[in-house]
Amino acid sequence: MKQSTAKNNQNSKDQAKKMAVTEAILFSKGDPVEIKSLIKFLKISPAKFSQILSALKEKYAQVDSGLQIVEKKNKIQLVTKANLGLLVNKFLGQSLNEKLSAATLETLAIIAYRGPITKAQIEYIRGVNSSFALKNLLLKGVVERRENPLDNRSYIYEISFDFLRKMGLKRVSDLENYEELSQKLSEKVKNGDFSENNSSAKK
Amino acid sequence: MQYQVQLDEFKGPLPLLLELIEKRKLDVTSVSLAKVTDDFLAYLKEREEVSLQNLAEFLFVASQLILIKSKVLLPFFELTAEEEEDIKELEERLREYKKFKKAARQLGRRWQQQRIAFCREQTIPIQVKPSFPPLEKTELAKALTSLLKRDETPAVLAEETIEKTISLEEKLASLKKSISQRVEISFRELVKNSQDKAEVVVSFLAILEMLKQRFITVRQEGAFGEISIKRLSKL
């Protein structure tokens, strides 16, 4: 009995240390950090790491903490709390979010809920050319693009960590109606190519 | 009935259609599509500046609307399976677009709330760390004396003459000659008889060029060391 409590003590000490190391790395890096590389560095299982991450988040959830963790896919970033945004900004004197046009916001919404997504798929939903809005979003850094692994003639677009930070979101799924809107209506919409699908289905 | 649609930027046929339907407080159904067909066509007629590419999109939607209206007005009017599909698609796309239009508004509000989470400013550290090997004082002294010796002749003030410059090609040819006579030669030896600094510089460029052409290999033992040049191929 005594032995096992000693072991538990050791375990929690170990976990506390790893939590501290994780925090230190996230702080010093500033940028998003890959979870995989943290797991590898700490030499722990993914399950153990998510325990550490939850513990960190719990700590930051306290009112007397000004920090939070933002997540996207397999990366995490240590940032300040969104509800302190205006106050922190007052001190830093950085520029606030500039107003976005309706077209830009529409494009951004489609990327946020449906990304990663191609330009053709965005334009299928909007029914209008979206090059300008996309360029604008890329410039603002709230959207990033990479080559489409399925078709190297096109790019796929998705939201960036800066999007989450500027929107005050911890993760993209915290968006309103994310469950409903992220669901692709049908394969047709996803492919953004009706006519061919239809004709081939009929044959 | 006149419809004034405020355009802040170009609006495609889908947003226009949705706007017309919402103005009448209708849901997206084929019946409501039939009802706004005239409004849509009237809008198209009024706006003559719609560009050709956009016009095609508008006309495509317009043709579908007319089809839908025909179907509603003439119950016995049969649509082909493909036409039915197309109409269903238009409805689906409109409903889809409607959702995102709403989401965009919410996103815009959130954006304006300025609930910004700041991260640490990453200043990219530029590491300027020249790696000097440990140097003996005597070596520095040696380097200095040789430098002083080289510049023994007092500097003559500019005597407005245009000196013949040695071209890289000339130097290349002469260096190739001197290297071909020996297998290995040091850079110091090579530039021993140089007239001026310019010639040393040109010699060095010539060495780089030959290195690029794989005529020679070059070795230098440590910083400030002697550069030895070795012939690689028959020149």
Side-chain angles (χ1 to χ4, degrees):
Chain A
M1 191 64 195
K2 211 175 176 185
Q3 217 173 4
S4 76
T5 45
K7 204 177 164 195
N8 276 343
N9 257 343
Q10 184 56 41
N11 268 348
S12 63
K13 242 189 213 167
D14 195 45
Q15 163 138 348
K17 174 88 187 291
K18 286 186 165 147
M19 207 169 124
V21 173
T22 306
E23 184 178 49
I25 290 173
L26 289 175
F27 172 79
S28 59
K29 183 91 179 175
D31 285 332
V33 180
E34 232 174 290
I35 291 176
K36 220 177 11 183
S37 64
L38 283 170
I39 287 173
K40 201 172 155 201
F41 181 76
L42 296 170
K43 296 193 183 73
I44 49 174
S45 67
K48 198 97 205 166
F49 182 77
S50 45
Q51 270 178 30
I52 288 172
L53 194 57
S54 315
L56 262 181
K57 282 188 203 159
E58 220 169 279
K59 182 174 142 187
Y60 296 145
Q62 304 301 313
V63 196
D64 58 5
S65 167
L67 300 175
Q68 63 173 358
I69 286 175
V70 171
E71 320 173 51
K72 183 169 88 79
K73 268 206 216 139
N74 37 24
K75 285 185 182 172
I76 51 175
Q77 185 181 22
L78 184 62
V79 300
T80 63
K81 269 187 182 152
N83 62 346
L84 304 175
L86 277 172
L87 263 175
V88 176
N89 190 76
K90 208 167 161 187
F91 182 82
L92 293 178
Q94 289 192 357
S95 55
L96 292 169
N97 294 338
E98 293 165 45
K99 210 164 184 316
L100 297 177
S101 75
T104 311
L105 279 169
E106 260 177 45
T107 311
L108 186 58
I110 293 169
I111 296 170
Y113 287 95
R114 290 282 167 82
I117 188 169
T118 66
K119 183 165 163 253
Q121 289 164 340
I122 294 167
E123 291 178 346
Y124 182 77
I125 296 172
R126 292 195 61 220
V128 61
N129 184 301
S130 303
S131 304
F132 185 76
L134 275 174
K135 208 179 285 172
N136 196 2
L137 290 169
L138 283 171
L139 259 173
K140 286 211 171 3
V142 288
V143 161
E144 41 192 36
R145 71 171 190 194
R146 55 190 152 92
E147 264 173 40
N148 187 352
L150 300 174
D151 177 2
N152 54 19
R153 291 164 305 173
S154 65
Y155 292 105
I156 41 180
Y157 297 84
E158 61 185 326
I159 48 117
S160 65
F161 266 93
D162 280 0
F163 169 86
L164 296 174
R165 286 200 305 104
K166 289 181 175 175
M167 286 287 186
L169 293 162
K170 283 186 193 163
R171 57 188 82 79
V172 67
S173 56
D174 286 351
L175 277 172
E176 291 86 353
N177 306 329
Y178 186 79
E179 279 289 302
E180 187 208 337
L181 275 174
S182 62
Q183 223 152 55
K184 279 149 189 144
L185 256 196
S186 66
E187 276 308 295
K188 287 178 191 171
V189 174
K190 192 176 138 206
N191 293 333
D193 194 344
F194 266 77
S195 52
E196 270 179 41
N197 274 1
N198 284 347
S199 52
S200 62
K202 246 170 267 154
K203 268 165 205 166
Chain B
M1 202 171 189
Q2 281 279 321
Y3 274 96
Q4 282 290 310
V5 185
Q6 286 280 312
L7 283 190
D8 51 338
E9 46 203 297
F10 173 71
K11 205 169 274 170
L14 286 184
L16 171 65
L17 207 48
L18 189 65
E19 210 160 286
L20 294 174
I21 291 171
E22 284 177 341
K23 230 164 215 162
R24 291 184 170 220
K25 299 197 166 52
L26 298 171
D27 287 328
V28 180
T29 60
S30 54
V31 175
S32 47
L33 281 173
K35 279 185 182 157
V36 298
T37 301
D38 292 342
D39 303 338
F40 190 87
L41 295 177
Y43 173 87
L44 211 54
K45 213 178 269 174
E46 265 168 44
R47 294 185 59 90
E48 284 164 355
E49 71 270 33
V50 177
S51 71
L52 210 59
Q53 184 216 338
N54 299 328
L55 190 64
E57 293 171 30
F58 274 101
L59 288 180
F60 175 70
V61 173
S63 68
Q64 283 189 309
L65 288 177
I66 292 170
L67 197 67
I68 294 167
K69 196 173 183 188
S70 314
K71 168 75 181 155
V72 170
L73 291 177
L74 312 164
F76 51 87
F77 181 63
E78 282 289 321
L79 295 177
T80 65
E82 200 168 339
E83 285 166 346
E84 294 271 13
E85 273 294 314
D86 283 352
I87 290 167
K88 228 188 263 167
E89 181 201 338
L90 183 64
E91 284 173 36
E92 196 169 287
R93 279 179 70 184
L94 263 182
R95 274 193 285 264
E96 179 97 323
Y97 174 72
K98 189 179 173 179
K99 279 190 225 158
F100 279 106
K101 197 178 161 188
K102 189 178 160 212
R105 274 197 302 267
Q106 286 172 332
L107 219 54
R109 271 198 295 276
R110 186 181 269 281
W111 181 259
Q112 286 309 122
Q113 277 175 358
Q114 313 287 3
R115 287 169 45 91
I116 304 171
F118 292 93
C119 61
R120 279 192 61 215
E121 277 304 315
Q122 270 294 327
T123 44
I124 301 156
I126 302 166
Q127 291 210 334
V128 188
K129 238 192 196 171
S131 59
F132 281 117
L135 270 181
E136 290 296 320
K137 266 187 252 169
T138 51
E139 276 181 80
L140 274 179
K142 233 194 279 174
L144 187 62
T145 20
S146 72
L147 196 67
L148 289 173
K149 224 184 269 170
R150 218 190 304 165
D151 239 353
E152 262 167 359
T153 47
V156 186
L157 281 177
E159 276 179 40
E160 293 296 317
T161 50
I162 298 166
E163 295 191 23
K164 180 183 181 298
T165 52
I166 310 130
S167 77
L168 191 59
E169 285 77 19
E170 280 169 24
K171 197 73 210 174
L172 214 54
S174 88
L175 283 185
K176 273 185 189 171
K177 210 175 119 203
S178 41
I179 292 175
S180 65
Q181 284 156 6
R182 281 190 281 173
V183 178
E184 199 166 349
I185 188 168
S186 75
F187 185 68
R188 202 187 301 269
E189 270 179 278
L190 214 55
V191 298
K192 200 167 49 191
N193 298 321
S194 297
Q195 303 281 330
D196 52 13
K197 260 190 214 136
E199 194 176 339
V200 178
V201 171
V202 173
S203 300
F204 190 72
L205 290 176
I207 294 291
L208 291 181
E209 180 61 27
M210 286 198 284
L211 194 65
K212 199 180 98 192
Q213 291 176 10
R214 297 181 172 278
F215 280 126
I216 55 167
T217 58
V218 167
R219 274 170 63 91
Q220 185 179 29
E221 306 280 358
F224 311 118
E226 189 58 76
I227 304 170
S228 75
I229 301 151
K230 214 170 172 179
R231 195 175 76 210
L232 260 186
S233 57
K234 282 254 181 257
L235 292 168

